[in-house]
Amino acid sequence: MMLIDNINILKSTYPNIWNRLRPLEKTMDNSLVQVEETRRGDKTIWIEKDNKKLYLHSKYNPIREAEAIIEEYEEIEPDTTVIFYGTGLGYHIDLFLKKHPDINYYIYEPIPEMLYTYLSHNSLKRLPSLKLKDIILADNEADIRKFFNQLVDKTNGKFIHIVLNSHRNIFTEEYNRFLELFKETIKDKKTSMGTNLAFQERWILNSMKNFGEVLNTPNILLEKKGAFKNKPAILVAAGPSLNEEIENIRYIKENGLAYIFSVGSAINTLIYNNIYPDAATTYDPGEFNQNVFTKIKEREIKDIPMIFGSSVGYETLINYLGDKYHMITSQDTVSNYYLKNKYGKPIDMVYDAPTIAVVTLQLLHELGFNKIILVGQNLAYKGKKRHSEGIHYSKDITDSEIKKGIYVKDVYGEEILTNAGFDSMRQQMEYYIKSFPDMTVINTTKGGAHIEGTDFIELETVINRYLKEKVVYGNWLEVNKTNYDSGYLESQSKKMDIAYKRALKLTDEYYNILNRIERLIGNRNFKQAEKTYVKLDKILRKIENNDFFKVFILPMNRVQYELLANSIDSLNDERNPVEKGSRIVKSFKVFMDLCKGDMDNIDEAYNEMRFIIEAFLENNISNEG
């Protein structure tokens, strides 16, 4: 039976684990985990597997065995976090924590019966409880992923896992899953952080500079939601296989058999072959994105509507002569703050993704298309060609890229080489396809990567089988600009002006508190410094709740803000009061210096926005009059 003290601790601190372990009380006598005494009088654990009796600890001297495990971890840096993988009876946990009582640690056990047994023979009260960050019963993937995400956020990358080797050898599948998900989480976090770091400022600056275009163009998600129910759409990407389908696409266009959407660079291949899609979609926030539309602008083409994400690189929209339509993106905190539909309808948005193809897939689903046909969606290498023809900025894939490639399944069931970026795009596309069960997705990309949830059918067969009648007529996107609620816009604009002035004062207060902490630490007045940390926390809470910071500044510094938030536990754990004060001042000052710099940098864009809003509101009043 589990120790009473442990039951009480689980009930109060880890109720979820208690609820999952409690049913084992009635079954532990016949459990796969059995405890017996060694010759020395210590206890050991064995389980029966494949008609064999397998021990997790030595039958003779489990303590000496645990000492051998711990000897490998003599030199541990002070700010390291430890994951004890596999509990057994906890001999290795006890010995390690006696040597390193100030180390933060987690107890991770994938086998419920094993954790129950551990808690039946070891009191949690004996452990350094303030350093025990969590107990993880890792018998389902959702909990494992949640733990790894929190671990990566909180530990700044300094962690080790101490493995009970016998546990790993007996429960090999669980251990391999642990490693797999751990590596996957690290990779995803790095990708996410890299993307945020690269674009966090551009997303907001673009949203500000594009706000005038948003106010004066139709929101396609509002104006055309569900308007193309049961219609087919061709989603044309710029993979090398697009070259093989040009004449099929031309046939579809000339006969109006499906709506053709070009994504990203594919627009260049189509106009190179004198094919005008029904719309071109774009969302990339980078400055380079304007190059995608250079040829259209140079040729002064007016007949291709552009559907742009509201946080797209603002340079992309300048001097575009065709009709423009917008979709609010999840990265656009600006429009989401200022805008509300005049008729009270919610403003739908598209969610950010690693590729415009995935964003466009979301768009097509919202518009009601039920059959999506992917063309040129290689998501893998095809020789050394990166793109289809006619893309003036395209460069061949290098030998170095090929050497670093990874293998995935292609549309024929064979192996094909790709890279981590393409693979991430494929996984995102698969996620959304699974999320849209009412939509059929056909992949026609010859030699492309297999995309789960799609059927591979060659485009010529698709035309003969599914595209038998004309569906595209006239100006299919003809619609007036969206009537956003001007009263709400005016109210939000006034609120933001107040928040802006308040933000400047909060910034000054923040720096004053930091300076005070610095003086107190210098004077070794640590007691007063501790009280001032509370004031620093309060001013940070006010900043977090200030509209100007929430909409503009914090999203522009989301990576640094997350790092600061995740470091607070570590800062509070610092025992040296001088070191603690110095680290707090440095961390909080670096963060606010970045915020202050961005406040200065967007001042001009903010004033431009105010002017655009005033002009828009005046124009609305005159039109209503």
Side-chain angles (χ1 to χ4, degrees):
M1 181 177 173
M2 192 184 297
L3 299 178
I4 296 297
D5 284 348
N6 288 343
I7 291 175
N8 291 333
I9 290 170
L10 290 183
K11 283 181 177 179
S12 62
T13 310
Y14 308 101
N16 180 261
I17 291 180
W18 169 243
N19 290 334
R20 289 155 66 191
L21 291 181
R22 188 176 183 181
L24 296 178
E25 286 185 311
K26 299 176 182 177
T27 62
M28 284 304 291
D29 289 342
N30 300 312
S31 166
L32 68 96
V33 179
Q34 296 295 322
V35 179
E36 68 177 40
E37 279 199 6
T38 67
R39 293 177 184 178
R40 284 169 42 94
D42 300 310
K43 288 184 170 58
T44 187
I45 293 178
W46 62 269
I47 71 160
E48 188 173 316
K49 189 175 183 182
D50 300 329
N51 296 318
K52 292 181 181 178
K53 201 173 184 180
L54 303 175
Y55 283 86
L56 268 87
H57 303 295
S58 167
K59 292 188 289 183
Y60 309 103
N61 194 340
I63 294 176
R64 178 70 196 99
E65 180 186 53
E67 287 172 345
I69 295 173
I70 298 310
E71 282 171 5
E72 298 178 28
Y73 303 96
E74 287 295 329
E75 295 183 8
I76 301 292
E77 294 183 33
D79 55 351
T80 299
T81 295
V82 171
I83 308 162
F84 291 107
Y85 180 92
T87 53
L89 287 172
Y91 294 117
H92 61 305
I93 298 174
D94 291 344
L95 288 173
F96 182 89
L97 293 176
K98 281 179 183 175
K99 283 190 174 185
H100 307 283
D102 295 326
I103 290 291
N104 292 326
Y105 66 97
Y106 293 84
I107 295 174
Y108 182 105
E109 176 56 67
I111 311 300
E113 293 87 350
M114 197 68 70
L115 182 58
Y116 189 99
T117 302
Y118 170 74
L119 294 171
S120 298
H121 293 84
N122 295 272
S123 173
L124 292 173
K125 281 188 172 182
R126 293 189 302 104
L127 300 176
S129 58
L130 293 177
K131 295 296 180 178
L132 174 58
K133 293 304 176 184
D134 206 351
I135 299 172
I136 297 91
L137 176 54
D139 59 344
N140 68 79
E141 189 168 310
D143 282 352
I144 300 172
R145 288 185 182 277
K146 181 181 177 183
F147 162 63
F148 283 145
N149 277 302
Q150 290 175 343
L151 177 72
V152 173
D153 284 343
K154 297 290 184 184
T155 56
N156 296 323
K158 291 186 178 180
F159 39 75
I160 59 171
H161 60 281
I162 297 178
V163 181
L164 185 60
N165 293 329
S166 54
H167 191 297
R168 175 189 62 197
N169 296 335
I170 294 170
F171 302 105
T172 307
E173 186 178 331
E174 286 79 3
Y175 182 69
N176 288 340
R177 190 64 181 140
F178 167 85
L179 288 181
E180 182 185 333
L181 289 175
F182 189 46
K183 291 174 183 175
E184 203 175 290
T185 303
I186 297 289
K187 176 186 163 188
D188 290 347
K189 280 287 182 183
K190 283 182 177 177
T191 301
S192 175
M193 185 173 286
T195 301
N196 285 338
L197 197 57
F199 296 124
Q200 57 186 1
E201 294 187 2
R202 287 284 299 187
W203 279 320
I204 304 307
L205 181 63
N206 291 334
S207 300
M208 296 175 78
K209 285 186 167 288
N210 293 338
F211 195 65
E213 292 279 9
V214 167
L215 288 176
N216 290 290
T217 57
N219 181 329
I220 192 167
L221 291 173
L222 282 174
E223 306 301 338
K224 291 290 185 179
K225 186 178 177 69
F228 303 94
K229 192 174 181 181
N230 299 327
K231 296 287 193 295
I234 312 288
L235 194 159
V236 184
S241 294
L242 173 56
N243 296 328
E244 302 171 50
E245 307 295 354
I246 291 301
E247 293 311 313
N248 284 326
I249 294 173
R250 193 187 312 279
Y251 178 79
I252 293 169
K253 175 65 179 179
E254 288 176 351
N255 292 280
L257 302 179
Y259 292 86
I260 299 173
F261 292 81
S262 75
V263 299
S265 297
I267 184 65
N268 289 289
T269 299
L270 294 181
I271 63 171
Y272 176 77
N273 289 281
N274 294 313
I275 300 171
Y276 288 9
D278 294 296
T281 61
T282 184
Y283 91 121
D284 193 305
E287 184 179 354
F288 182 85
N289 193 60
Q290 63 185 311
N291 291 291
V292 173
F293 294 92
T294 299
K295 295 296 181 185
I296 294 182
K297 293 176 183 180
E298 287 175 354
R299 291 169 60 173
E300 298 185 348
I301 295 172
K302 302 177 182 178
D303 304 329
I304 303 175
M306 175 196 282
I307 301 174
F308 67 91
S310 55
S311 55
V312 72
Y314 69 90
E315 302 90 348
T316 305
L317 306 184
I318 297 171
N319 298 326
Y320 189 81
L321 300 178
D323 291 337
K324 294 193 282 284
Y325 303 79
H326 69 269
M327 47 186 174
I328 306 298
T329 70
S330 58
Q331 300 293 0
D332 178 4
T333 53
V334 178
S335 295
N336 280 297
Y337 176 84
Y338 282 95
L339 299 180
K340 184 177 176 184
N341 186 262
K342 192 171 183 179
Y343 305 106
K345 294 179 183 177
I347 298 178
D348 292 331
M349 69 175 73
V350 289
Y351 290 91
D352 194 52
T355 166
I356 180 61
V358 172
V359 173
T360 304
L361 193 70
Q362 297 174 56
L363 167 68
L364 298 181
H365 180 261
E366 291 300 308
L367 297 184
F369 291 100
N370 76 325
K371 195 180 296 297
I372 311 299
I373 299 151
L374 306 179
V375 181
Q377 196 68 60
N378 285 78
L379 299 176
Y381 297 152
K382 189 177 176 73
K384 286 199 169 185
K385 291 296 179 187
R386 194 180 302 274
H387 294 110
S388 46
E389 292 178 351
I391 299 172
H392 58 284
Y393 47 82
S394 182
K395 295 178 181 177
D396 284 352
I397 294 163
T398 65
D399 290 337
S400 174
E401 287 177 288
I402 291 173
K403 285 179 183 177
K404 294 176 184 176
I406 55 177
Y407 282 98
V408 295
K409 185 170 73 171
D410 72 5
V411 292
Y412 308 114
E414 305 294 330
E415 283 194 333
I416 192 169
L417 206 59
T418 187
N419 62 34
F422 283 150
D423 203 41
S424 174
M425 294 174 189
R426 176 185 61 80
Q427 291 171 17
Q428 275 276 298
M429 181 161 279
E430 290 175 346
Y431 169 80
Y432 278 102
I433 289 171
K434 189 177 180 180
S435 301
F436 302 146
D438 55 335
M439 190 168 75
T440 300
V441 182
I442 298 170
N443 186 8
T444 70
T445 310
K446 296 173 184 175
H450 168 70
I451 302 171
E452 195 67 34
T454 70
D455 294 317
F456 172 65
I457 308 173
E458 293 191 0
L459 186 53
E460 190 171 348
T461 303
V462 171
I463 293 170
N464 294 330
R465 189 180 298 176
Y466 300 114
L467 307 181
K468 297 180 179 179
E469 59 183 43
K470 184 172 183 175
V471 294
V472 184
Y473 294 93
N475 188 355
W476 67 283
L477 271 180
E478 190 170 12
V479 65
N480 295 323
K481 72 178 184 181
T482 297
N483 287 317
Y484 287 113
D485 187 331
S486 56
Y488 183 77
L489 173 61
E490 183 176 16
S491 171
Q492 290 298 93
S493 182
K494 288 177 179 177
K495 275 178 63 180
M496 185 58 80
D497 283 343
I498 294 169
Y500 174 60
K501 292 172 184 175
R502 178 67 179 139
L504 295 175
K505 291 181 180 178
L506 287 172
T507 304
D508 289 340
E509 289 178 39
Y510 183 101
Y511 278 119
N512 288 337
I513 291 172
L514 286 182
N515 291 335
R516 177 167 169 73
I517 291 172
E518 207 162 21
R519 287 195 302 272
L520 290 169
I521 295 300
N523 295 330
R524 305 187 70 80
N525 190 346
F526 303 129
K527 189 174 181 179
Q528 196 61 38
E530 287 290 336
K531 293 180 180 179
T532 314
Y533 298 151
V534 176
K535 293 182 179 179
L536 182 61
D537 182 67
K538 285 182 179 178
I539 197 72
L540 184 60
R541 298 288 87 80
K542 289 179 181 179
I543 283 170
E544 290 170 338
N545 290 315
N546 176 271
D547 281 354
F548 189 81
F549 269 97
K550 280 198 295 186
V551 173
F552 299 111
I553 305 304
L554 293 182
M556 292 180 80
N557 294 279
R558 64 192 73 191
V559 171
Q560 294 85 352
Y561 178 52
E562 184 179 353
L563 290 173
L564 178 67
N566 291 332
S567 72
I568 288 175
D569 285 347
S570 169
L571 294 172
N572 288 332
D573 286 343
E574 177 59 60
R575 293 190 171 187
N576 183 319
V578 175
E579 183 67 18
K580 179 177 181 177
S582 299
R583 286 177 61 195
I584 285 174
V585 169
K586 182 180 178 182
S587 299
F588 278 74
K589 187 174 186 301
V590 166
F591 171 68
M592 187 50 68
D593 286 348
L594 291 169
C595 291
K596 184 68 171 65
D598 283 330
M599 291 174 78
D600 295 337
N601 291 338
I602 67 167
D603 187 61
E604 183 179 343
Y606 180 67
N607 286 322
E608 284 177 8
M609 263 191 69
R610 291 177 63 198
F611 176 79
I612 287 168
I613 291 170
E614 287 172 10
F616 178 82
L617 293 172
E618 286 177 10
N619 187 53
N620 271 16
I621 291 170
S622 62
N623 287 340
E624 289 172 5

